[in-house]
Amino acid sequence: MCRWCRTWPDLALISISITTIWMTLGYNVLVLSAGVGAIPAEVVEAARLDGATGWRLHSRITIPMLSPQLFFLIVISTIHALQSFGQIHILTKGGLDGATSTLVYWIYEKAFSYGSSDFGTASAAAIVLLVIVLVCTGIQFGVLERKVHYR
């Protein structure tokens, strides 16, 4: 095998990651810009009168006021990453030697691709995926929700 062929699986995973970030960037910016627009001007003005500028204004006022939106985006992005299928199927179809294959793509291959009809195994794997998503979401709610500041 050539020297460059060994790096293709790594490049495939990086390309999937970049594509996924680009795909979700617009939604994340939209949610965060709506959150920034909802920060009361009085709070920002009071912080500026108290001498907060630059990084201190962002770290003490803006980011804590955006914590509900940030918490939402972290949870949704994690669920989306665990369920990624479309970009993998379109770009690499699992990649070289399964380099970009995920649990969702494996479920698809077991149930629907190449004439396969192993629906029982695919259904069991889907239940495992559901449990993984629930556990990750539960951990995020347990750890991160304490840091969310609602008005």
Side-chain angles (χ1 to χ4, degrees):
M1 182 183 284
C2 70
R3 187 177 89 206
W4 295 105
C5 296
R6 285 183 283 241
T7 63
W8 289 121
D10 297 333
L11 292 176
L13 191 58
I14 290 170
S15 69
I16 294 291
S17 300
I18 291 170
T19 304
T20 303
I21 290 168
W22 182 255
M23 187 174 71
T24 59
L25 185 66
Y27 180 73
N28 293 345
V29 167
L30 183 69
V31 170
L32 289 176
S33 65
V36 167
I39 295 175
E42 298 85 24
V43 174
V44 176
E45 183 180 354
R48 286 188 193 273
L49 288 174
D50 287 340
T53 59
W55 176 247
R56 176 159 284 175
L57 180 67
H58 291 300
S59 66
R60 305 287 177 145
I61 302 298
T62 306
I63 293 174
M65 296 290 279
L66 285 177
S67 61
Q69 289 85 3
L70 290 170
F71 175 66
F72 170 75
L73 288 175
I74 289 170
V75 171
I76 294 299
S77 296
T78 303
I79 292 171
H80 184 259
L82 289 171
Q83 295 179 344
S84 62
F85 171 78
Q87 60 272 32
I88 292 170
H89 185 65
I90 291 169
L91 292 174
T92 64
K93 296 199 187 309
L96 296 171
D97 298 328
T100 59
S101 185
T102 60
L103 182 56
V104 175
Y105 197 78
W106 185 81
I107 291 169
Y108 164 76
E109 285 181 334
K110 279 292 184 187
F112 303 114
S113 73
Y114 309 120
S116 178
S117 61
D118 193 2
F119 296 115
T121 305
S123 297
I127 297 297
V128 168
L129 177 65
L130 172 69
V131 169
I132 291 170
V133 168
L134 286 175
V135 166
C136 288
T137 305
I139 290 170
Q140 287 176 333
F141 267 87
V143 172
L144 297 177
E145 192 177 28
R146 290 180 281 154
K147 298 180 190 286
V148 175
H149 304 286
Y150 297 104
R151 287 182 218 149

